[in-house]
Amino acid sequence: MENKTKYLTIITVLMMFSFNVFSDADEHHHQHDAHVHGAAVLNIVAEDKTILIELESPTMNILGFEHEPKTEEQHKIVKQANERLEKYLSVLSIPDKQCKQTESDLEFAHDSHGDEHHDKHHHGHHHDEHDDVHSEYHLNYTIKCESLDNLKLNIALFENFSGFEHVDLNWIYGQKQGAIELEPENTLIEF
């Protein structure tokens, strides 16, 4: 429960921050759209040799579909994707740093006709009776590094999963904070 509270606090801080960053209403709407295929939100907090990462993405971006896996091939896709997502390196790499993942949390959220259902998964099985369900991944990672000086991050989502077109990144690095939209040709962040 302590881990969930830590992530909820980070999410709350980043959400409050992102409301202040985008003054343009259109950009603000785009930033917080609930479910857009090809888009995702990535929140990163880096402080005291620890990096906290949160990714929210439609499953379409990662799996190529959102419904319950029906074929053997779809079950295989889910299993392989979830195995990759257990490690933060599927989301980003940290060049020139000695870092180790200490925690991860992978969750599916299903939204069907306005009803939201959250199911925790470790091996990629999710069950839903509706084919028109919008499902999302909610991923959290905790990374410990020897140092966070001159931090650079390379966002690896675009090379690892073909469904991503852009990622809205909100970040806090020590006393600095910012937001940027990343695309396949723009994946390196230097703080």
Side-chain angles (χ1 to χ4, degrees):
M1 188 67 167
E2 177 184 322
N3 202 23
K4 274 285 192 211
T5 304
K6 174 174 63 174
Y7 285 118
L8 288 174
T9 301
I10 292 164
I11 294 165
T12 303
V13 168
L14 282 167
M15 290 299 289
M16 287 171 34
F17 160 70
S18 64
F19 281 117
N20 293 328
V21 170
F22 296 105
S23 57
D24 182 359
D26 288 342
E27 216 169 296
H28 180 266
H29 175 72
H30 174 74
Q31 175 74 11
H32 297 286
D33 239 349
H35 190 92
V36 178
H37 295 173
V41 174
L42 180 62
N43 298 316
I44 297 174
V45 176
E47 189 173 34
D48 297 329
K49 299 183 181 183
T50 300
I51 302 173
L52 302 173
I53 303 165
E54 177 198 42
L55 174 68
E56 294 182 11
S57 170
T59 58
M60 179 67 77
N61 298 346
I62 295 168
L63 303 177
F65 58 90
E66 292 190 299
H67 57 77
E68 178 181 350
K70 297 177 179 168
T71 66
E72 187 175 322
E73 180 63 23
Q74 288 176 343
H75 282 282
K76 184 178 174 182
I77 289 169
V78 171
K79 182 179 182 210
Q80 289 175 342
N82 288 346
E83 286 173 356
R84 289 175 83 184
L85 290 168
E86 287 177 7
K87 295 181 175 58
Y88 79 93
L89 292 171
S90 64
V91 176
L92 61 85
S93 63
I94 308 169
D96 306 321
K97 298 291 179 194
Q98 297 294 322
C99 300
K100 180 181 178 182
Q101 180 173 317
T102 59
E103 296 175 42
S104 68
D105 182 44
L106 182 152
E107 234 178 270
F108 284 116
H110 311 285
D111 187 8
S112 174
H113 307 292
D115 297 326
E116 201 166 304
H117 307 282
H118 295 280
D119 298 315
K120 199 165 203 149
H121 298 280
H122 298 287
H123 298 291
H125 304 295
H126 76 100
H127 305 282
D128 203 304
E129 299 169 5
H130 307 283
D131 284 342
D132 60 346
V133 169
H134 292 293
S135 58
E136 296 186 318
Y137 274 102
H138 294 256
L139 305 166
N140 295 295
Y141 306 94
T142 301
I143 315 303
K144 298 284 186 183
C145 301
E146 289 182 4
S147 167
L148 294 182
D149 294 338
N150 303 313
L151 183 63
K152 296 178 189 176
L153 303 175
N154 184 40
I155 306 307
L157 288 167
F158 301 105
E159 66 189 67
N160 288 320
F161 303 101
S162 62
F164 287 96
E165 296 172 15
H166 64 88
V167 174
D168 292 324
L169 171 65
N170 302 301
W171 58 268
I172 297 174
Y173 174 63
Q175 300 299 313
K176 300 176 189 174
Q177 55 190 16
I180 186 170
E181 183 175 274
L182 303 171
E183 296 178 337
E185 61 278 354
N186 174 32
T187 62
L188 185 64
I189 309 301
E190 297 185 54
F191 298 97

